[in-house]
Every structure is written in C-alpha cells, then in structure tokens.
Amino acid sequence: MAQAGKSTESESSMESVLTENRHFPPPAAFAKQAHIGSIEKYEEMHKRSVEDSEGFWSEVADELHWFKKWDTVLEWNLPDAKWFVGGKTNICYNCIDRQIDDGLGDHTAIVWEGEPIQDQDGGHAGGEPEIRKLTYNDLKREVSRFANALKNLGVKKGDVVTIYMPMVPELAIAMLACARIGAPHSIIFGGFSASAIRDRVEDGKSNIVITADGGWRRGKAVPLKDNVDEALTLTDLVKTVVVLERCQNDINMVEGRDHWWEDITATASEHCEAEPMDAEDLLFILYTSGSTGKPKGIMHTTGGYMVYTYLTSKYTFDLHPENNDMYWCTADIGWITGHSYIVYGLLPNRVPTLMYEGAPDAPDKDRFWDIIERHKVTKFYTAPTAIRAFMKWGREHIDKHDLSSLNVLGTVGEPINPEAWMWYHEVIGNEKCPIVDTWWQTETGGHMLTPLPGATTTTPGSCTKPFFGIDAAVVNSEGEPVGENEGGILVIRKPWPSMLRGVYGNRERFIDTYWSKVEGYYTAGDGARKDEHGNFWIMGRIDDVIVVAGHNLGTMEVESALVSHDAVAEAAVVGFPHDIKGTGIAAFVTLVGGIEETDELKKQVRDHVAKELGPISKPDKLQFTPALPKTRSGKIMRRLLRDIAAGREISGDITTLEDKSIVEKLQQQAD
Ligand code: PRX
C-alpha cells in the first residue's frame, strides 16, 4: 500500500527538511463508503467552498435547526467576521432536541466510563468499570433540569458561568445547560490550580462557579472544590458555587454560597425551552496561554461555531450513525478539542461520544485499549504526546486487546513525528485505518488543515490539506507565498465560520497577536512549509524556529530525526547562544524504557541526526532526561528548556507546568 523508505535532503536549499516518501492512500473499501470518497471530490468541493464560501456554508447551515433563518451569510470587516447575521438558533437544541424531533430520542448520545474499576469490596483493582449511557431523551431531561436550577440561582442570558469539573457527564450537562439558556461558559481544565481559577474568574467577570468535590485521577481524588475555595480567597467576585458529589472526599461547604448539584436539581423542572440565540451571541470563552503574558480569553459565538464544528466532525472522522459508529476523543472537555470534538460538533452528528474520566495508565497501561475493545470504538482521537507514551510503554499492553473495531485514527495538539505516526498506523491501526493529523487551534474553533480519511493520501508528519472553506497559505512577512518546501508563516487568507471573534476584554491583544504580523491575513503563529504534493507541514511555533549559522531550522524536523533513533522515546530541541554559530542546538532526550544513558549513546544519537538531516542540524548539546517539562495539556515547554540550555534563571510564568521537579533536575545536570 505504501511506498517504503524515507530520505533526507539538505544540500541545496537554505532549509534542512525531512523528506518523507511514505504515502498512504485511503483504503479502497473505506473510500467507497466515505462521505468524501476521492481526492477529486475533495478538490472540486474545496474549490467551490473557497470561491463561493457563502453559498457553501449556507447549504451546510441548512442541515441544522434555526428558529429564524439568517439574512446575510457573512459580513466581513477585517478582522471582524459576522456569520449567519440575523439568524436565531441554539446549539444545545441542535445537540439534543433536533435528534428527538427526528424520532431518535432513545438513541445513545453519551457513553461515559469512570476511572475506578471496582472490585467486590469497592476497591480499585479488578472487577467492573463504572459506565453510564445517556440517550438524547436523558440528556434533554438532565440539561433542562440543570438549566432551570441555574436560572433559579439567578443566572441570566449573557452571564459568564465558570465551570471547573472532572470528566463526568455532568460537565457536558453543565455546558449544554449554559448554552440552552444563553449564558456563555468559561471552562477551566480540572488540572489547573487556584491561581488559574482566580485569573479566569476575574478576567471573565464571572460570579458563579460550577465544580465537584473531586475527580478521579490514578486512584486519587483531585481536590477540585478545595482549589475553588482557595481561589475564592483571592477574589470576592464569586457569589455562588455549585458542587457535584463525585468522590465523596472531605470538603467544606460555605453556607449561603455553596449548593449541592443534587439539591438544586431535585426541585427543578425538567422542562426548559432552548433560548433562541442570535447567531453572533457569545457561546463561550476559553483561555489559551501564550508563550508570554496572561492567558487570552478566546471568544466563540453561536452560529458559525456550530456549523463549522458540525461539518468538520462529520467529514474529518467520516461519521456514520447508521454504521454503529462509536467515537472517542481522549482530550479533556476543558480544552478546545473537548469543546468542539467531544460535545458541540459530535452530538449534532448523531454518533455516540465517549467520555473517559481518568488516566491512560489507571489501573494499568492498557486502559485505553481495554476501553476501545469493550465499547467497540470506531473513531479514536488522541494527541502525539499520548502516542509517544504508549510507544514507550511497549506493545504488550496493546496486543492483549482486540482493536479491530477501529477505522479512523486522529491526532491533534502538536506536530506528530513520522516515527510516532508509523507506530500509530501499524500498531493501533493495524495498517488499515486512515490517520487524520488535524492542525487547528483554540482560536480557529475547528479543524483547519486535515486529511479527509476517504479522500486524502496521507504522509507521516504532514497535516496535509485545508478543510472546506479554508484558504491557507505559507507566506513571507510581506504576505507573498514562499516557494515549494520553503519555510514561512502559516496564514489563513479568508474568514471562516468558527474563527475567534476576539480576545475577551482585550481588543488590542486580538489585533496584535493575530492580525498584525502579515497585513490582511490571520496569522496562527505557526511556521510551516508546503511540499510538492500541496501538503502542509507544521514546523512548530514561529518562536521555535532557530537560525543556526544562517540556516532556518524548524525544531520539529530535528526532533523528528532524534525520535527516529531506536533508543529515543521523546525529544525537544531549542536554540541557545553559541559563540561561533550564533545559535546552537540543544536537545533534551528521553530514552525508551530500559535503555541505559551512556556517553556513547549520546554520540550515536547526535550522529544519527547528522545522518538524517545533515550536519548543520546535529545537536551541539544533548542531555538525557527521564521526562520533558510539559504543560498540563501535554505541550513541551520549550521556553523553559531555552533558559536551561542558555544557563539562565527560569523566567516567566511556570504555573502551567505539570511537574516542576523535572526542571530542577535538568538545571542540576546542565553543562
Ligand atoms: O502549534 C500548533 C499546535 O498547537 C497550537 C494550538 O494549540 P491550542 O490552541 O492549545 O489547540 C490545540 C488543539 C487544537 C497550534 O498553533 N498544533 C495543534 N495541532 C497540530 C499542531 N501542530 C502540528 N500539527 C498538528 N496537528
């Protein structure tokens, strides 16, 4: 099926790029039943979607429910887009009621699995997992009840509701209840601590927080309510806290402020009409951290976000409710991936969405594969950082399970190294599942560059081509397209329905960050190149491009070369000040389990990069480390590694760092 081999090229151009000759066309049987079953169909539809974007998107929007149809599809005053102007809709109605209207009320909407596996004595090993299934009817009842409970607590249309919860069905219920009554939500990932809650509550001027006593993570209760209590000693904005009982860990309830979820819903009516919302009414704020400064509150509105996440879900994962699809995205709902591709884009597609509460290695390292086997998951969506961990843990955990139900594999969040891609393809996909490497951002709301599994020939490491309606290009700072395989700035040249509508309360930051680097275009902050097949390759954040002796090197390419060495599990590369070259390359490497760290191996790994990419890319320094410093969403914090490599004090905020001890170890070892 695939052409074998990979080669490198670094001679002629100023760039040193990893050339990939392995190509995987969609399996014929898959393409035959797919929504978009050939590259010709993709190209024809893509051309139309960009040339007549308004016609294209109004047809898609017509597939969903509107209380009142829009007057104008798009009003575009750069950088402000308004989509489906004058239209009235409700995304919660489209996630739930629309299915019930069509007679599907007793179909499964959400399948949830808790982390603890209970044995007969209530312990955490052996025995049965805790599973809940909610039909659209169940979901409507629970959402309506909670929506009424919120109203009874005084929440009104337009009020920002903060949600800080574990991955339990009530998290989806809470967000859908907010959408039902028109209260924008601001969800905070449960791994964040008190100061992050305080910052977001204050920035969003939110006076209500919905939380739980705790959430299960590797058999321990994460103290969510305690974190909220601590945050609320730092701000006096919040007047109401709703607490779901999940772990029965000890917590403190504050009289007059705190209410049990159970109590306020017990008395609430299960009938709540969905509020007709203006297409441009705020649906949610979601904070994203930049490499510098405070997190930005990214704003998404109702109509455009709904239409775009609906269509990307349908086509990227090739969803077919009639084929008993079971979809599982392993992200937390606290990230954009969970907002768009666990809840809002999925439910309108009528395919059950699976939520899992806990860690991939609880109680054992085969938990994900066990879930896939038991629930017969057909579409699986995860992140490269997880894939690299699975590789490191070894395939014996996978071989124990039957993964034959799978037919599409997705990845998101950072560039996937070709090595990890091939492993995903061979070991998880059994060489029969198309891989969709989806490039997008909190700001874009939905997939921007992605293969369509029945149409696109994939290549390890490339996120391939733009989705419908997306006019993407790689340009220089003047906005002119750069040549084939030349690195440049990734831009989007036309508006799309789910684009961010701003940074909450900070117009200047919105303009500066996204609209002032290349005139007239949206800049994502990522570097990219486009190859001879028209496929896009993300080279990492623009900040991560290093110029070594006058050569532009994407840190991603060097990392991929490092990971292609058999002994290497994961790698991060940064630049550091170098007397001769200007900038040198420092590599931080974790080894595959059981392999010994020796100087000889260091040399071998460095030589391997030189062989793969050319001597210019050979790391000047290489340090082994048991783990890399990562954010709680699994992104490598290269900013910290830059400080360590340069022998500087760590600067800037490290509150998003998952494990601080790693940084201390690295500093001690640094040469
Ligand atoms: O640098 C890109 C990287 O993640 C950034 C967006 O991060 P965030 O807003 O947290 O959203 C993550 C989930 C959508 C991008 O600017 N990124 C995301 N997906 C990919 C990626 N880089 C390469 N390939 C991807 N598939």
Side-chain angles (χ1 to χ4, degrees):
M1 199 160 75
Q3 292 173 21
K6 70 184 162 174
S7 63
T8 53
E9 168 212 302
S10 62
E11 318 80 49
S12 53
S13 73
M14 285 291 282
E15 318 284 327
S16 149
V17 299
L18 198 63
T19 307
E20 183 54 70
N21 290 326
R22 290 171 291 197
H23 302 292
F24 298 87
F30 185 93
K32 218 167 140 203
Q33 58 75 57
H35 292 296
I36 312 293
S38 70
I39 196 70
E40 291 75 23
K41 180 155 183 210
Y42 159 79
E43 276 164 1
E44 180 199 314
M45 278 177 68
H46 185 261
K47 185 163 184 287
R48 194 237 156 170
S49 70
V50 172
E51 285 172 2
D52 173 23
S53 144
E54 297 179 34
F56 179 87
W57 288 115
S58 70
E59 283 165 25
V60 178
D62 259 338
E63 294 176 25
L64 296 168
H65 172 272
W66 295 77
F67 295 105
K68 174 182 172 290
K69 242 180 122 154
W70 52 94
D71 306 313
T72 314
V73 180
L74 171 67
E75 274 177 18
W76 176 226
N77 292 306
L78 191 130
D80 297 304
K82 290 186 178 168
W83 284 86
F84 308 110
V85 183
K88 297 264 184 205
T89 187
N90 186 295
I91 196 168
C92 176
Y93 192 100
N94 277 286
C95 285
I96 304 174
D97 306 51
R98 186 173 148 262
Q99 281 55 264
I100 298 173
D101 294 346
D102 287 349
L104 306 174
D106 59 353
H107 286 215
T108 306
I110 295 179
V111 177
W112 172 80
E113 184 161 317
E115 187 192 86
I117 300 222
Q118 306 283 348
D119 59 26
Q120 274 147 359
D121 311 321
H124 280 195
E128 293 297 311
E130 188 185 356
I131 292 170
R132 277 169 66 190
K133 291 188 181 174
L134 286 96
T135 63
Y136 293 101
N137 285 332
D138 296 335
L139 200 53
K140 182 172 176 186
R141 193 182 56 245
E142 298 306 317
V143 166
S144 299
R145 222 184 232 151
F146 193 64
N148 282 325
L150 287 178
K151 283 190 191 171
N152 295 341
L153 289 170
V155 176
K156 292 184 303 299
K157 187 172 173 177
D159 291 348
V160 175
V161 175
T162 302
I163 302 180
Y164 177 69
M165 289 182 82
M167 278 289 283
V168 291
E170 284 77 6
L171 168 53
I173 289 167
M175 69 197 283
L176 287 162
C178 289
R180 198 165 184 87
I181 62 173
H185 52 71
S186 165
I187 304 185
I188 305 174
F189 170 53
F192 281 126
S193 54
S195 59
I197 303 171
R198 189 264 320 264
D199 290 350
R200 286 158 176 74
V201 157
E202 290 199 328
D203 192 84
K205 300 179 199 61
S206 173
N207 54 32
I208 174 164
V209 178
I210 302 166
T211 189
D213 51 359
W216 291 114
R217 188 91 191 156
R218 298 199 175 88
K220 290 204 188 85
V222 178
L224 298 175
K225 174 63 164 64
D226 290 354
N227 293 345
V228 170
D229 287 345
E230 192 186 333
L232 299 194
T233 62
L234 308 170
T235 173
D236 53 12
L237 260 179
V238 174
K239 306 291 178 235
T240 310
V241 178
V242 176
V243 186
L244 176 82
E245 184 172 61
R246 167 66 187 139
C247 299
Q248 296 173 331
N249 48 320
D250 270 346
I251 58 162
N252 178 35
M253 292 292 278
V254 175
E255 183 78 38
R257 186 194 74 181
D258 299 354
H259 308 264
W260 287 107
W261 175 295
E262 186 68 29
D263 294 344
I264 59 167
T265 49
T267 49
S269 154
E270 56 183 60
H271 300 285
C272 174
E273 291 302 318
E275 184 75 25
M277 300 297 290
D278 196 280
E280 280 301 333
D281 276 339
L282 185 61
L283 175 63
F284 65 82
I285 309 170
L286 182 58
Y287 287 84
T288 178
S289 43
S291 44
T292 51
K294 272 194 354 181
K296 302 182 282 280
I298 303 301
M299 289 156 63
H300 283 289
T301 57
T302 305
Y305 175 83
M306 172 176 89
V307 170
Y308 195 81
T309 54
Y310 159 71
L311 197 75
T312 43
S313 301
K314 176 172 171 178
Y315 287 158
T316 304
F317 302 113
D318 197 51
L319 299 178
H320 290 274
E322 72 283 9
N323 292 353
N324 289 329
D325 263 338
M326 174 66 70
Y327 168 94
W328 183 25
C329 166
T330 68
D332 191 287
I333 286 178
W335 307 112
I336 190 70
T337 306
H339 280 59
S340 300
Y341 299 112
I342 295 179
V343 180
Y344 287 129
L346 255 290
L347 292 172
N349 274 291
R350 305 178 165 178
V351 163
T353 178
L354 193 147
M355 286 174 70
Y356 167 58
E357 178 183 29
D361 53 354
D364 289 311
K365 293 191 168 69
D366 68 339
R367 183 62 186 266
F368 275 16
W369 323 119
D370 187 36
I371 290 177
I372 291 176
E373 180 175 10
R374 280 187 288 103
H375 294 280
K376 299 201 171 34
V377 171
T378 56
K379 321 283 179 182
F380 178 63
Y381 193 28
T382 194
T385 178
I387 296 170
R388 290 190 298 262
F390 304 144
M391 289 171 76
K392 195 170 169 182
W393 293 345
R395 69 177 289 165
E396 65 269 25
H397 304 291
I398 297 140
D399 290 343
K400 280 196 259 181
H401 295 281
D402 176 6
L403 305 185
S404 61
S405 56
L406 291 171
N407 63 44
V408 174
L409 301 177
T411 145
V412 58
E414 53 177 325
I416 178 163
N417 323 85
E419 220 53 34
W421 195 104
M422 285 306 297
W423 183 91
Y424 201 25
H425 170 69
E426 288 166 6
V427 179
I428 305 303
N430 198 18
E431 300 188 19
K432 72 173 178 60
C433 303
I435 293 183
V436 290
D437 174 0
T438 59
W439 175 84
W440 59 295
Q441 307 176 291
T442 306
E443 294 86 339
T444 69
H447 302 150
M448 302 297 278
L449 299 171
T450 177
L452 299 184
T456 315
T457 292
T458 53
T459 291
S462 166
C463 53
T464 74
K465 299 189 195 302
F467 191 76
F468 299 127
I470 302 305
D471 179 18
V474 181
V475 301
N476 60 22
S477 51
E478 306 299 307
E480 296 147 354
V482 299
E484 204 167 84
N485 278 323
E486 246 180 71
I489 304 167
L490 178 58
V491 294
I492 312 296
R493 297 185 291 199
K494 289 191 170 161
W496 67 100
S498 64
M499 65 198 290
L500 77 165
R501 299 300 196 265
V503 172
Y504 196 73
N506 201 335
R507 178 79 182 168
E508 206 178 305
R509 220 160 156 209
F510 173 57
I511 310 275
D512 278 1
T513 315
Y514 307 105
W515 300 98
S516 53
K517 307 228 164 55
V518 182
E519 211 187 319
Y521 299 158
Y522 171 82
T523 48
D526 285 334
R529 68 183 164 90
K530 202 167 149 183
D531 71 12
E532 59 281 18
H533 308 288
N535 286 330
F536 286 80
W537 296 74
I538 305 299
M539 298 172 76
R541 302 292 296 166
I542 291 173
D543 318 340
D544 293 338
V545 170
I546 45 185
V547 181
V548 178
H551 296 253
N552 252 342
L553 299 178
T555 50
M556 184 57 205
E557 315 261 15
V558 183
E559 287 165 10
S560 288
L562 284 162
V563 176
S564 73
H565 188 286
D566 286 344
V568 175
E570 196 163 26
V573 163
V574 295
F576 70 96
H578 189 284
D579 290 348
I580 299 159
K581 300 179 181 176
T583 304
I585 300 175
F588 297 84
V589 166
T590 64
L591 294 176
V592 171
I595 293 185
E596 205 189 330
E597 300 177 358
T598 62
D599 286 344
E600 174 53 28
L601 185 58
K602 269 191 193 172
K603 180 173 176 311
Q604 258 185 34
V605 173
R606 291 173 60 231
D607 289 346
H608 174 76
V609 177
K611 190 169 131 271
E612 287 285 303
L613 272 180
I616 181 78
S617 301
K618 181 171 169 172
D620 300 278
K621 296 193 202 175
L622 191 148
Q623 198 173 333
F624 291 130
T625 167
L628 295 169
K630 289 186 184 169
T631 62
R632 287 160 213 267
S633 65
K635 288 198 166 87
I636 297 167
M637 292 187 79
R638 291 190 178 71
R639 174 167 65 79
L640 302 187
L641 294 175
R642 273 195 288 273
D643 286 340
I644 293 167
R648 288 190 295 258
E649 285 290 304
I650 302 283
S651 57
D653 183 32
I654 56 163
T655 52
T656 56
L657 180 65
E658 191 172 52
D659 177 358
K660 297 196 173 56
S661 70
I662 291 167
V663 171
E664 285 153 22
K665 273 189 217 129
L666 282 169
Q667 277 174 315
Q668 282 159 12
Q669 287 171 7
D671 27 274

